[in-house]
Amino acid sequence: MDRRNSPPFCAAFCVAVMFFTMLQVSAVAQPTLHVIREVKHDVSPPLADLARLTPAQPNQFSPRVLKVLPTGPATEMPQYAAPDAALQQKVLAPVAATLGLNFEGLGLGQYGFLMQYAPPDTNGTVGATQYVQWVNAEFAVFSKTSGALVAGPTPGNALWAGFGGGCQSNNDGDPIVQYDKIANRWIFTQFSVSTTPYLQCVAVSTTSDATGTYNRYAFQFANFPDYPKLGVWPDAYYISFNMYAGGFVGADACAMDRSKMLAGQAATIVCFQQGSLIGSLLPSDMDGTIQPAAGEQAFFMNFGSSSLRLWKFHVNFTNPASSTFTGPTTLSVAAFTPQCFSACVVQPGTTQKLDALGDRLMYRLAYRKFTDGHEALVVNHSITTGERWYEVRNPNGTPAVFQQGTFSPDSNTRWMGSVAMDHVGDMALGYSVSSGSVFPSIYFTGRIPGDPAGTMETEQLIVNGTGSQTSGLSRWGDYSAMAVDPVDDCTFWYTQEYIKSNGSFNWNTRIANFKFSNTGNFSLSATPSSQRIHPGDGANYTVTSTPGCGFTGTVSLTVAGLPTGASASFNPASIPNGAGSSTLNVSTSSNTPFGTYTLTITGTSGNLVQSVPVTLVVSNSWSWTLQTYTTCGTASFFGGGNLNSLQWHFLVEPSDPAGGQYTWTLFDSVGTFATGSYCGYEYCSPPTGNDGSNITASRLPVGTPSFRVYGQFKTSAGCSTSYSGQVQMQP
């Protein structure tokens, strides 16, 4: 959208009126790294004070159309229709989910909401105790237990009241609200583009209460940053834009410094600007309680010709030049024809058609890691044959499309969807539905893990529309949002636009939650994750079961993968109500072979099964911890030699110029097994030369290769510096 030469009434949030020439051949072969430093940051007053500081908004009814910017030549109607091998043919039972809350969100006539723009850019998410919905150009906080209004509606730019600059003065929208499930914080972001410089405004709550205070930021962009989409990841808040500068420049994939923003400190953004042939990237957004592996890269995705394209983003805020954006990995999918970009969705009683934005994946790219260790990404988009969805597994290894499907049980158009998964792998997909006989309405479907691959169950209504959008207004969306409750990890929350009566600038939104009947489940964890023992020794693991979504069953425990000569037992053998711990005792014999073994601990309750792996290493190695002494300097033992002769050779560095005496002792889990002393460059007892001593000990493992010892020493002067270390002797 372009607001630079327009009066305020031409303001547009997520997108605005703009004509440009597509840059057909200017794509950059490699993405360009650039770093953006904050314009400003501060800490806000509480939300209630911010609302009071915000000036009155424009005329109570002067609505404006927000035009979406395409990332390529717009095809208003499909030029061809590819056969859809993923089109679901089987009709399943009604979706096995029960609606809970189902109430009005922001929109015409609701809560004193000020109607200013179309479309609403409907999105929202759920936190510890609240649900927040943000549309163009206000947000509201609701109780997640009752749906009652807690705060708002509040203008989006009120979050930056007193901040100064465009973030405070411009309420330009393209809003996204997210919840950081790791830190229990809210993240609000919208852009400021009706005046220059172009800004992305970001506010991170200081607590889990959306009505509290916020760490506020403004970041300046050289190009017009359209259609921002935000994902939460352990090492950063990842955000993408479609960039324009007289034409489409390309998508910009960016990482905001999460740790700094959580702490309210000065922050930067590291970005990789793509070429003009790459558009509308979605960043991965973590659901659930199990984080990706430490250091795992975030993911970005879009679609190509009958394919998905996956990138990986590693960010280094300390040394941005070492950040990487690699890809794409192209994943072939069933052939499809994208739904139209604009004005192709029919409605009853009017020739006015609605936009579908079929040129891009729909928000969010939802990531989840499960208790068995597998990772999945789910995403959807609109195609001519229905609502296409995907589950991609192993994105951090060799990614593969695990399943895909096109949901279109009848001739009605389904579009503008959002999809997510709960903690047991149930999937929920919400969307708009319209046709010549169906007013724009809101539905959802879903699946449980036992359903045939690529299928969804029979859809369920959230709310019927009772009117069509008319008067030349085609704008719809531009997105919706399916979220998962971070507390129970099984309740889905969906928000979407609909119409109550014929007209324009009279949209409403709905907020609904639901959960699947099979979500009463449990998860397993085990500590430690790995243990090393000698043949004939034993090892204990603590196995913990955590219930979810009302699970009250008994979890019976078993283990598989034991080595030869080993046995195992659980105490207790089962966990009542799925809540508690059991001790797994593993015993080995003297003839148990050396090796690394993966033990699979399995919990079963009826037809529910959860597993967690642990590692058992059987070897002739041991870890020795040095006893702490005091010293005048940093002396180090460097050890080497062949322990087949049960001989250790040590050298102390640096030498003690005063010729003081050092003593040393090595301990294992049983106790002291070898002692010695050192004077200058030779051992005082028993002296064997300039560099070593013969030490004999019955517990020394034969065949241990060379190793290094960092020790603690005490001089005759009795100095006070101390430090510790460990020797790991491998087989």
Side-chain angles (χ1 to χ4, degrees):
M1 131 187 110
D2 191 344
R3 303 178 58 178
R4 291 167 293 182
N5 300 313
S6 303
F9 63 83
C10 289
F13 314 118
C14 106
V15 283
V17 178
M18 184 177 186
F19 297 97
F20 59 89
T21 301
M22 176 67 183
L23 303 181
Q24 298 277 5
V25 294
S26 62
V28 180
Q30 295 294 326
T32 304
L33 171 69
H34 59 112
V35 179
I36 299 170
R37 304 193 183 281
E38 65 173 49
V39 175
K40 178 183 179 181
H41 81 275
D42 73 359
V43 181
S44 78
L47 181 61
D49 295 341
L50 291 171
R52 287 192 288 269
L53 291 171
T54 304
Q57 297 303 294
N59 184 308
Q60 285 285 321
F61 197 76
S62 57
R64 308 298 174 224
V65 179
L66 312 180
K67 293 292 185 182
V68 67
L69 298 177
T71 58
T75 301
E76 300 307 322
M77 294 297 293
Q79 295 177 332
Y80 66 94
D84 189 352
L87 182 63
Q88 180 176 332
Q89 304 294 333
K90 183 177 293 188
V91 177
L92 302 187
V95 62
T98 303
L99 274 171
L101 297 176
N102 189 354
F103 60 98
E104 284 295 289
L106 298 179
L108 185 66
Q110 299 299 324
Y111 313 106
F113 173 75
L114 175 62
M115 177 68 67
Q116 299 179 72
Y117 305 98
D121 290 352
T122 312
N123 76 106
T125 195
V126 58
T129 61
Q130 299 160 329
Y131 182 87
V132 176
Q133 185 196 49
W134 197 357
V135 300
N136 287 325
E138 295 181 333
F139 66 89
V141 182
F142 299 91
S143 163
K144 82 173 191 183
T145 56
S146 67
L149 183 69
V150 173
T154 304
N157 62 326
L159 284 166
W160 291 272
F163 187 76
C167 290
Q168 173 180 320
S169 59
N170 299 328
N171 195 16
D172 288 346
D174 247 12
I176 292 288
V177 58
Q178 277 276 23
Y179 190 73
D180 184 334
K181 302 170 184 67
I182 303 170
N184 288 308
R185 304 283 191 89
W186 298 91
I187 311 104
F188 288 71
T189 186
Q190 71 172 11
F191 61 18
S192 166
V193 292
S194 56
T195 59
T196 55
Y198 299 136
L199 301 173
Q200 191 66 32
C201 312
V202 185
V204 180
S205 68
T206 59
T207 70
S208 62
D209 181 4
T211 68
T213 60
Y214 286 81
N215 298 326
R216 305 186 294 187
Y217 294 83
F219 298 95
Q220 180 176 326
F221 287 84
N223 296 325
F224 184 93
D226 194 36
Y227 207 73
K229 293 293 168 285
L230 179 69
V232 176
W233 205 250
D235 67 345
Y237 295 136
Y238 288 89
I239 190 168
S240 63
F241 307 89
N242 286 331
M243 289 293 186
Y244 296 84
F248 180 57
V249 175
D252 205 7
C254 300
M256 300 187 291
D257 194 333
R258 173 179 175 268
S259 63
K260 298 291 188 183
M261 299 173 82
L262 287 171
Q265 300 173 354
T268 58
I269 302 181
V270 176
C271 296
F272 284 93
Q273 176 64 57
Q274 312 298 304
S276 63
L277 298 184
I278 303 296
S280 300
L281 295 172
L282 279 183
S284 54
D285 182 41
M286 191 195 98
D287 283 336
T289 59
I290 306 175
Q291 297 183 34
E296 182 170 333
Q297 300 174 80
F299 308 103
F300 281 72
M301 185 180 284
N302 72 2
F303 71 76
S305 177
S306 297
S307 64
L308 296 175
R309 298 186 292 190
L310 181 70
W311 286 262
K312 296 180 181 181
F313 194 153
H314 163 71
V315 66
N316 186 326
F317 292 106
T318 303
N319 181 19
S322 68
S323 301
T324 58
F325 190 79
T326 56
T329 298
T330 300
L331 306 173
S332 296
V333 300
F336 62 84
T337 301
Q339 186 57 278
C340 76
F341 177 71
S342 64
C344 68
V345 179
V346 299
Q347 309 174 87
T350 179
T351 58
Q352 179 61 58
K353 298 178 181 180
L354 303 177
D355 297 349
L357 270 65
D359 67 333
R360 62 199 66 189
L361 294 175
M362 286 286 104
Y363 179 74
R364 298 177 296 134
L365 178 61
Y367 166 93
R368 181 176 288 275
K369 186 173 184 178
F370 291 87
T371 55
D372 65 359
H374 88 265
E375 298 173 290
L377 296 167
V378 292
V379 73
N380 81 105
H381 62 121
S382 302
I383 64 176
T384 55
T385 50
E387 193 69 7
R388 173 67 71 83
W389 58 272
Y390 309 95
E391 179 183 354
V392 175
R393 290 197 178 180
N394 197 26
N396 195 43
T398 303
V401 178
F402 179 74
Q403 60 175 329
Q404 59 184 309
T406 303
F407 187 72
S408 183
D410 53 38
S411 60
N412 298 332
T413 300
R414 289 163 179 80
W415 85 109
M416 207 61 65
S418 185
V419 66
M421 298 177 80
D422 67 16
H423 72 124
V424 297
D426 299 323
M427 194 182 303
L429 172 64
Y431 43 84
S432 293
V433 177
S434 186
S435 71
S437 60
V438 176
F439 293 110
S441 303
I442 307 174
Y443 281 76
F444 77 97
T445 184
R447 56 173 284 109
I448 62 175
D451 288 336
T455 63
M456 291 282 180
E457 298 170 348
T458 297
E459 66 190 0
Q460 184 173 157
L461 175 71
I462 291 178
V463 64
N464 269 319
T466 49
S468 292
Q469 187 164 276
T470 60
S471 304
L473 183 58
S474 68
R475 300 294 292 111
W476 192 266
D478 282 329
Y479 38 95
S480 64
M482 182 74 74
V484 183
D485 192 311
V487 176
D488 67 18
D489 208 16
C490 67
T491 301
F492 292 94
W493 289 75
Y494 185 58
T495 187
Q496 173 66 285
E497 171 187 11
Y498 76 110
I499 298 287
K500 288 186 177 183
S501 61
N502 293 344
S504 61
F505 299 101
N506 64 334
W507 50 261
N508 284 90
T509 65
R510 199 77 172 177
I511 300 167
N513 69 20
F514 55 90
K515 60 183 176 182
F516 287 78
S517 58
N518 70 321
T519 52
N521 207 329
F522 63 95
S523 61
L524 283 185
S525 61
T527 56
S529 60
S530 179
Q531 295 209 63
R532 179 185 293 271
I533 62 174
H534 289 296
D537 290 341
N540 291 329
Y541 301 85
T542 299
V543 182
T544 301
S545 173
T546 303
C549 293
F551 176 80
T552 57
T554 296
V555 177
S556 299
L557 299 170
T558 59
V559 63
L562 293 169
T564 301
S567 61
S569 62
F570 289 93
N571 183 24
S574 60
I575 300 175
N577 300 315
S581 297
S582 174
T583 299
L584 168 61
N585 176 262
V586 178
S587 300
T588 63
S589 63
S590 59
N591 63 353
T592 297
F594 296 147
T596 299
Y597 302 93
T598 298
L599 310 184
T600 301
I601 302 168
T602 299
T604 304
S605 182
N607 62 353
L608 301 177
V609 179
Q610 298 289 344
S611 297
V612 61
V614 294
T615 301
L616 178 69
V617 180
V618 181
S619 73
N620 65 345
S621 70
W622 206 262
S623 296
W624 312 99
T625 303
L626 296 165
Q627 185 184 41
T628 301
Y629 282 92
T630 57
T631 182
C632 279
T634 13
S636 294
F637 276 133
F638 290 85
N642 182 358
L643 289 186
N644 283 312
S645 62
L646 300 184
Q647 183 180 67
W648 287 354
H649 300 285
F650 292 106
L651 180 64
V652 176
E653 296 179 348
S655 61
D656 178 17
Q661 177 169 306
Y662 296 81
T663 60
W664 56 272
T665 306
L666 280 84
F667 277 68
D668 66 5
S669 60
V670 175
T672 304
F673 72 90
T675 60
S677 58
Y678 176 78
C679 295
Y681 270 112
E682 50 179 55
Y683 284 93
C684 295
S685 175
T688 60
N690 291 332
D691 67 344
S693 172
N694 293 325
I695 304 297
T696 332
S698 61
R699 289 186 62 84
L700 272 179
V702 173
T704 304
S706 60
F707 55 90
R708 174 178 289 186
V709 181
Y710 290 94
Q712 297 77 37
F713 309 94
K714 182 178 181 180
T715 70
S716 54
C719 300
S720 60
T721 305
S722 64
Y723 56 99
S724 61
Q726 189 177 71
V727 186
Q728 180 75 44
M729 295 186 287
Q730 303 293 340

